[in-house]
PDB file of all heavy atoms in Angstrom:
ATOM      1  N   LYS U  99      -9.771  -3.252  20.849  1.00 98.00           N
ATOM      2  CA  LYS U  99      -9.420  -4.495  20.321  1.00 98.00           C
ATOM      3  C   LYS U  99      -9.103  -4.349  18.913  1.00 98.00           C
ATOM      4  O   LYS U  99      -9.748  -3.645  18.135  1.00 98.00           O
ATOM      5  CB  LYS U  99     -10.723  -5.396  20.518  1.00 98.00           C
ATOM      6  CG  LYS U  99     -10.704  -6.675  19.852  1.00 98.00           C
ATOM      7  CD  LYS U  99     -10.747  -7.787  20.948  1.00 98.00           C
ATOM      8  CE  LYS U  99     -10.400  -9.232  20.279  1.00 98.00           C
ATOM      9  NZ  LYS U  99      -8.822  -9.137  19.896  1.00 98.00           N
ATOM     10  N   GLY U 100      -8.130  -5.179  18.464  1.00 98.00           N
ATOM     11  CA  GLY U 100      -7.751  -5.052  17.140  1.00 98.00           C
ATOM     12  C   GLY U 100      -6.412  -5.775  16.842  1.00 98.00           C
ATOM     13  O   GLY U 100      -5.650  -6.094  17.668  1.00 98.00           O
ATOM     14  N   GLY U 101      -6.096  -6.160  15.513  1.00 97.00           N
ATOM     15  CA  GLY U 101      -4.881  -7.021  15.103  1.00 97.00           C
ATOM     16  C   GLY U 101      -3.686  -6.214  15.357  1.00 97.00           C
ATOM     17  O   GLY U 101      -3.539  -5.110  15.404  1.00 97.00           O
ATOM     18  N   VAL U 102      -2.580  -7.091  15.123  1.00 98.00           N
ATOM     19  CA  VAL U 102      -1.195  -6.407  14.917  1.00 98.00           C
ATOM     20  C   VAL U 102      -0.602  -7.161  13.582  1.00 98.00           C
ATOM     21  O   VAL U 102      -0.733  -8.251  13.370  1.00 98.00           O
ATOM     22  CB  VAL U 102      -0.235  -7.069  16.017  1.00 98.00           C
ATOM     23  CG1 VAL U 102       1.144  -6.593  15.921  1.00 98.00           C
ATOM     24  CG2 VAL U 102      -0.894  -6.855  17.396  1.00 98.00           C
ATOM     25  N   ARG U 103      -0.274  -6.171  12.688  1.00 96.00           N
ATOM     26  CA  ARG U 103       0.360  -6.576  11.382  1.00 96.00           C
ATOM     27  C   ARG U 103       1.804  -6.599  11.415  1.00 96.00           C
ATOM     28  O   ARG U 103       2.330  -5.454  11.928  1.00 96.00           O
ATOM     29  CB  ARG U 103      -0.475  -5.883  10.281  1.00 96.00           C
ATOM     30  CG  ARG U 103      -0.405  -4.454  10.063  1.00 96.00           C
ATOM     31  CD  ARG U 103      -1.025  -4.084   8.729  1.00 96.00           C
ATOM     32  NE  ARG U 103      -2.431  -4.367   8.625  1.00 96.00           N
ATOM     33  CZ  ARG U 103      -3.175  -4.237   7.682  1.00 96.00           C
ATOM     34  NH1 ARG U 103      -2.639  -3.425   6.627  1.00 96.00           N
ATOM     35  NH2 ARG U 103      -4.428  -4.581   7.692  1.00 96.00           N
ATOM     36  N   PHE U 104       2.445  -7.442  10.843  1.00 96.00           N
ATOM     37  CA  PHE U 104       3.906  -7.398  10.517  1.00 96.00           C
ATOM     38  C   PHE U 104       4.094  -7.111   9.052  1.00 96.00           C
ATOM     39  O   PHE U 104       3.798  -8.035   8.266  1.00 96.00           O
ATOM     40  CB  PHE U 104       4.598  -8.750  10.878  1.00 96.00           C
ATOM     41  CG  PHE U 104       4.831  -9.041  12.398  1.00 96.00           C
ATOM     42  CD1 PHE U 104       4.170  -8.090  13.359  1.00 96.00           C
ATOM     43  CD2 PHE U 104       5.529 -10.116  12.750  1.00 96.00           C
ATOM     44  CE1 PHE U 104       4.337  -8.494  14.736  1.00 96.00           C
ATOM     45  CE2 PHE U 104       5.664 -10.309  14.202  1.00 96.00           C
ATOM     46  CZ  PHE U 104       5.138  -9.539  15.101  1.00 96.00           C
ATOM     47  N   HIS U 105       4.498  -6.069   8.635  1.00 95.00           N
ATOM     48  CA  HIS U 105       4.669  -5.720   7.111  1.00 95.00           C
ATOM     49  C   HIS U 105       5.607  -4.556   7.070  1.00 95.00           C
ATOM     50  O   HIS U 105       5.706  -3.597   7.771  1.00 95.00           O
ATOM     51  CB  HIS U 105       3.232  -5.369   6.595  1.00 95.00           C
ATOM     52  CG  HIS U 105       3.161  -5.540   5.118  1.00 95.00           C
ATOM     53  ND1 HIS U 105       3.523  -4.465   4.245  1.00 95.00           N
ATOM     54  CD2 HIS U 105       2.853  -6.370   4.303  1.00 95.00           C
ATOM     55  CE1 HIS U 105       3.462  -4.814   2.974  1.00 95.00           C
ATOM     56  NE2 HIS U 105       2.895  -6.016   2.976  1.00 95.00           N
ATOM     57  N   PRO U 106       6.368  -4.592   5.810  1.00 97.00           N
ATOM     58  CA  PRO U 106       7.288  -3.451   5.622  1.00 97.00           C
ATOM     59  C   PRO U 106       6.570  -2.076   5.391  1.00 97.00           C
ATOM     60  O   PRO U 106       7.216  -0.995   5.625  1.00 97.00           O
ATOM     61  CB  PRO U 106       8.018  -3.829   4.311  1.00 97.00           C
ATOM     62  CG  PRO U 106       7.682  -5.304   3.982  1.00 97.00           C
ATOM     63  CD  PRO U 106       6.533  -5.713   4.905  1.00 97.00           C
ATOM     64  N   ASP U 107       5.320  -2.094   4.886  1.00 95.00           N
ATOM     65  CA  ASP U 107       4.641  -0.787   4.679  1.00 95.00           C
ATOM     66  C   ASP U 107       3.880  -0.313   5.906  1.00 95.00           C
ATOM     67  O   ASP U 107       3.133   0.631   5.832  1.00 95.00           O
ATOM     68  CB  ASP U 107       3.620  -0.956   3.560  1.00 95.00           C
ATOM     69  CG  ASP U 107       4.256  -1.344   2.216  1.00 95.00           C
ATOM     70  OD1 ASP U 107       5.512  -1.093   2.180  1.00 95.00           O
ATOM     71  OD2 ASP U 107       3.698  -1.890   1.395  1.00 95.00           O
ATOM     72  N   VAL U 108       3.910  -0.923   7.032  1.00 97.00           N
ATOM     73  CA  VAL U 108       3.196  -0.474   8.344  1.00 97.00           C
ATOM     74  C   VAL U 108       3.660   0.941   8.501  1.00 97.00           C
ATOM     75  O   VAL U 108       4.843   1.434   8.397  1.00 97.00           O
ATOM     76  CB  VAL U 108       3.495  -1.368   9.436  1.00 97.00           C
ATOM     77  CG1 VAL U 108       3.136  -0.635  10.781  1.00 97.00           C
ATOM     78  CG2 VAL U 108       2.781  -2.720   9.490  1.00 97.00           C
ATOM     79  N   ASN U 109       2.646   1.822   8.730  1.00 96.00           N
ATOM     80  CA  ASN U 109       2.961   3.310   9.069  1.00 96.00           C
ATOM     81  C   ASN U 109       1.882   3.842  10.068  1.00 96.00           C
ATOM     82  O   ASN U 109       0.879   3.165  10.318  1.00 96.00           O
ATOM     83  CB  ASN U 109       3.033   4.116   7.831  1.00 96.00           C
ATOM     84  CG  ASN U 109       1.843   4.099   7.172  1.00 96.00           C
ATOM     85  OD1 ASN U 109       0.926   4.820   7.580  1.00 96.00           O
ATOM     86  ND2 ASN U 109       1.839   3.400   5.967  1.00 96.00           N
ATOM     87  N   GLU U 110       2.207   5.001  10.604  1.00 96.00           N
ATOM     88  CA  GLU U 110       1.392   5.523  11.694  1.00 96.00           C
ATOM     89  C   GLU U 110       0.082   5.772  11.178  1.00 96.00           C
ATOM     90  O   GLU U 110      -0.952   5.609  11.868  1.00 96.00           O
ATOM     91  CB  GLU U 110       2.028   6.848  12.092  1.00 96.00           C
ATOM     92  CG  GLU U 110       1.667   7.512  13.313  1.00 96.00           C
ATOM     93  CD  GLU U 110       2.469   8.695  13.639  1.00 96.00           C
ATOM     94  OE1 GLU U 110       3.675   8.661  13.689  1.00 96.00           O
ATOM     95  OE2 GLU U 110       1.891   9.715  13.909  1.00 96.00           O
ATOM     96  N   ILE U 111      -0.147   6.431  10.005  1.00 95.00           N
ATOM     97  CA  ILE U 111      -1.423   6.708   9.419  1.00 95.00           C
ATOM     98  C   ILE U 111      -2.286   5.408   9.166  1.00 95.00           C
ATOM     99  O   ILE U 111      -3.465   5.556   9.523  1.00 95.00           O
ATOM    100  CB  ILE U 111      -1.344   7.476   8.093  1.00 95.00           C
ATOM    101  CG1 ILE U 111      -0.552   8.832   8.270  1.00 95.00           C
ATOM    102  CG2 ILE U 111      -2.611   7.747   7.424  1.00 95.00           C
ATOM    103  CD1 ILE U 111      -0.222   9.559   7.092  1.00 95.00           C
ATOM    104  N   GLU U 112      -1.607   4.544   8.618  1.00 93.00           N
ATOM    105  CA  GLU U 112      -2.426   3.174   8.416  1.00 93.00           C
ATOM    106  C   GLU U 112      -3.023   2.629   9.673  1.00 93.00           C
ATOM    107  O   GLU U 112      -4.082   2.248   9.892  1.00 93.00           O
ATOM    108  CB  GLU U 112      -1.562   2.133   7.773  1.00 93.00           C
ATOM    109  CG  GLU U 112      -2.199   0.914   7.418  1.00 93.00           C
ATOM    110  CD  GLU U 112      -1.305  -0.077   6.920  1.00 93.00           C
ATOM    111  OE1 GLU U 112      -0.503  -0.724   7.630  1.00 93.00           O
ATOM    112  OE2 GLU U 112      -1.406  -0.453   5.711  1.00 93.00           O
ATOM    113  N   VAL U 113      -2.092   2.546  10.625  1.00 97.00           N
ATOM    114  CA  VAL U 113      -2.448   1.969  11.970  1.00 97.00           C
ATOM    115  C   VAL U 113      -3.583   2.794  12.596  1.00 97.00           C
ATOM    116  O   VAL U 113      -4.674   2.335  13.269  1.00 97.00           O
ATOM    117  CB  VAL U 113      -1.223   1.941  12.881  1.00 97.00           C
ATOM    118  CG1 VAL U 113      -1.647   1.546  14.422  1.00 97.00           C
ATOM    119  CG2 VAL U 113      -0.168   1.003  12.497  1.00 97.00           C
ATOM    120  N   LYS U 114      -3.628   4.119  12.552  1.00 97.00           N
ATOM    121  CA  LYS U 114      -4.606   4.989  12.996  1.00 97.00           C
ATOM    122  C   LYS U 114      -5.920   4.702  12.363  1.00 97.00           C
ATOM    123  O   LYS U 114      -6.940   4.512  12.994  1.00 97.00           O
ATOM    124  CB  LYS U 114      -4.252   6.383  12.823  1.00 97.00           C
ATOM    125  CG  LYS U 114      -3.319   7.027  13.966  1.00 97.00           C
ATOM    126  CD  LYS U 114      -2.634   8.340  13.458  1.00 97.00           C
ATOM    127  CE  LYS U 114      -3.685   9.450  13.266  1.00 97.00           C
ATOM    128  NZ  LYS U 114      -2.875  10.822  13.131  1.00 97.00           N
ATOM    129  N   ALA U 115      -5.925   4.707  11.065  1.00 95.00           N
ATOM    130  CA  ALA U 115      -7.137   4.450  10.259  1.00 95.00           C
ATOM    131  C   ALA U 115      -7.710   3.175  10.642  1.00 95.00           C
ATOM    132  O   ALA U 115      -8.893   2.989  10.838  1.00 95.00           O
ATOM    133  CB  ALA U 115      -6.717   4.527   8.721  1.00 95.00           C
TER     134      ALA U 115
END
Side-chain angles (χ1 to χ4, degrees):
K99 174 110 193 69
V102 182
R103 59 177 59 180
F104 283 9
H105 197 278
D107 296 341
V108 163
N109 63 71
E110 199 178 302
I111 293 170
E112 181 186 74
V113 171
K114 278 165 64 170

